[in-house]
Amino acid sequence: MAAVPDRRWWAGVLLAALAARLAWLGAWQALDLVSRFGYDPYITIAKFWLGMGPAWLDVTHPPLYSAWVALIFSVLGRPSLMAVQLFNVVLSALTCLLVGLWAERAGSKALGRLAGLWAAFDPLLVFFAAQVQSEPFFLFLELLFFLLLLRAGNPPSALAAFGLGVFGGLASLARSVFGLFPPFLFLALFWPRRREHRAWLWLLLLAGWALAPSLWGLRNLSRHGAFIPLAINGGWNLWEGFSLDRDVVRGRPAEMGDELEKAGIARDDAILGGEYFSRKTKAFILEQPAEAAKIVAGKFLLYWRPWPYDPHDARIRAVLGVYFCVLFALALFGLPRLWRLSAFWPVFALFVYLSLLHSVFFTSLRYRSPLEPFLCVFAAAGLQRLLKEDA
């Protein structure tokens, strides 16, 4: 592997990733899986903005991916799900390249090469590449952010810290779960260099991160009468997934709609509905703290379960369960090679942050996708250690 020239290796990884994703896209279309799995209203929002579709409340989801889709549609002059899917395939393949380059610079050349190749065939990354969901777009931004973070230096310059924060804030407008990451990230960056005076410059990252969401929030205050810095789907998702009973979670959307009507709130009033269920969840936690703690602990385990939920059939869940068990085992085995490297600390912070966040908010295999590229890196390190190869 080490004998292959860099350009040839990475071209091969990119082509392999593209081939795997295009093959899956062909299967996705042939099996009409879009009707089975559906997608969030990013496409509907993009059509609304371009005057190509009905009116839609454009703060139900963060705006950046919808803006990207709107750009694609405006260039084409018409809506096209296939165009979005093809762009997602390309972004997903490029993310494998970014994974490898990040691991190479954070760890070693051998680790980067193996991690990039692993990501090219990782089932979760391949699966979402064929959809019109926001995962490939966000993962590309996420890996680009972590690559830029390596280049910033530690401690950084004031401009680098603020600029990285601005980029992170923009990425938060693609997936709102990224929005509360800065305090965790700051600690991971600051602590290794805490005795250096310039390490405090990482505080500028927090200021930069707030910029884009604040501007979006001001726009929404003007247009919708509420300061909404990311999106309003958090309150609904909070209560919808606040249970360990899968049947309860399945039935909650319909029950929640009925409950809103009884409370005098229209089913389609996403702003008031989100606020209502945020209050309801907080009240439940205060009234039944022991039960809430049980749910949170259980949801932490569910976030890290190795199998997906329905609508995947039992055979697919079994195969993926085996794969993720192997992935997790190798990742844990690889951690002793990586945890002493300060370049990995921001990634460890992301693991802690998302695990805690989805122990409270709605969780599914999809919401583990921001960690999947790094799991490939950890697993690659574990495989190296298992084979007793040099890092």
Side-chain angles (χ1 to χ4, degrees):
M1 188 170 69
V4 182
D6 283 350
R7 185 172 297 181
R8 185 175 299 177
W9 176 266
W10 292 119
V13 167
L14 183 60
L15 290 174
L18 273 173
R21 285 151 177 76
L22 286 171
W24 174 236
L25 176 59
W28 182 275
Q29 296 301 110
L31 297 171
D32 189 27
L33 294 182
V34 69
S35 62
R36 184 176 184 183
F37 293 102
Y39 51 86
D40 289 331
Y42 298 106
I43 307 300
T44 307
I45 293 170
K47 289 180 181 178
F48 163 57
W49 283 343
L50 295 173
M52 298 178 177
W56 188 271
L57 183 62
D58 58 12
V59 290
T60 57
H61 289 71
L64 194 61
Y65 182 59
S66 292
W68 168 250
V69 172
L71 176 63
I72 295 172
F73 289 172
S74 64
V75 170
L76 293 176
R78 61 181 178 82
S80 171
L81 290 185
M82 178 54 72
V84 176
Q85 288 171 288
L86 287 172
F87 272 105
N88 276 356
V89 162
V90 172
L91 289 175
S92 181
L94 289 172
T95 297
C96 299
L97 197 62
L98 297 182
V99 170
L101 293 175
W102 180 85
E104 181 178 288
R105 294 171 187 177
S108 69
K109 183 174 182 177
L111 178 63
R113 287 191 167 196
L114 185 55
L117 185 62
W118 192 307
F121 297 102
D122 179 82
L124 191 151
L125 297 178
V126 172
F127 177 84
F128 284 107
Q131 294 201 42
V132 294
Q133 296 282 45
S134 62
E135 273 71 21
F137 181 75
F138 172 72
L139 290 180
F140 178 80
L141 294 179
E142 177 193 39
L143 266 297
L144 188 57
F145 173 82
F146 276 95
L147 260 178
L148 293 172
L149 192 61
L150 288 180
R151 294 178 61 89
N154 193 6
S157 68
L159 182 60
F162 185 79
L164 276 168
V166 171
F167 188 86
L170 282 171
S172 300
L173 294 182
R175 284 292 291 272
S176 54
V177 294
F178 209 46
L180 299 179
F181 180 46
F184 294 81
L185 177 60
F186 169 75
L187 287 175
L189 293 168
F190 169 76
W191 190 255
R193 300 293 183 91
R194 60 191 179 279
R195 292 184 176 86
E196 298 185 24
H197 177 71
R198 289 179 60 245
W200 288 100
L201 289 174
W202 283 120
L203 286 172
L204 293 173
L205 181 141
L206 306 182
W209 203 293
L211 181 60
S214 295
L215 292 175
W216 175 244
L218 290 173
R219 176 264 190 191
N220 294 329
L221 181 62
S222 172
R223 182 163 298 188
H224 300 293
F227 182 78
I228 303 167
L230 293 171
I232 57 171
N233 57 345
W236 179 280
N237 288 347
L238 183 62
W239 180 250
E240 181 187 3
F242 205 71
S243 172
L244 300 180
D245 189 323
R246 182 63 181 162
D247 290 329
V248 169
V249 173
R250 287 193 196 95
R252 270 211 171 147
E255 294 175 2
M256 290 165 71
D258 294 339
E259 186 173 344
L260 285 179
E261 288 190 344
K262 289 178 182 178
I265 301 172
R267 286 175 178 262
D268 59 354
D269 192 330
I271 294 178
L272 291 181
E275 293 173 351
Y276 175 89
F277 286 112
S278 288
R279 292 193 300 270
K280 178 170 183 174
T281 308
K282 293 172 185 176
F284 177 85
I285 292 171
L286 292 174
E287 293 168 5
Q288 303 184 53
E291 182 63 21
K294 177 183 175 182
I295 291 173
V296 169
K299 282 168 63 66
F300 176 86
L301 297 176
L302 289 177
Y303 184 65
W304 285 104
R305 72 192 182 281
W307 61 87
Y309 284 142
D310 51 88
H312 301 280
D313 63 40
R315 291 168 298 178
I316 292 176
R317 292 204 297 270
V319 170
L320 289 178
V322 171
Y323 169 78
F324 286 116
C325 282
V326 172
L327 181 74
F328 293 166
L330 285 174
L332 287 171
F333 194 61
L335 281 180
R337 281 193 166 193
L338 306 175
W339 73 273
R340 293 181 183 275
L341 303 176
S342 61
F344 281 84
W345 284 30
V347 172
F348 297 149
L350 183 66
F351 272 69
V352 172
Y353 163 66
L354 288 180
S355 296
L356 293 175
L357 184 75
H358 288 293
S359 296
V360 179
F361 285 86
F362 195 95
T363 185
S364 73
L365 194 64
R366 174 187 177 189
Y367 295 113
R368 210 168 62 219
S369 62
L371 303 179
E372 192 72 9
F374 302 110
L375 283 170
C376 294
V377 177
F378 298 166
L383 184 59
Q384 284 184 314
R385 187 181 173 202
L386 185 67
L387 298 176
K388 298 182 179 179
E389 292 185 0
D390 294 334

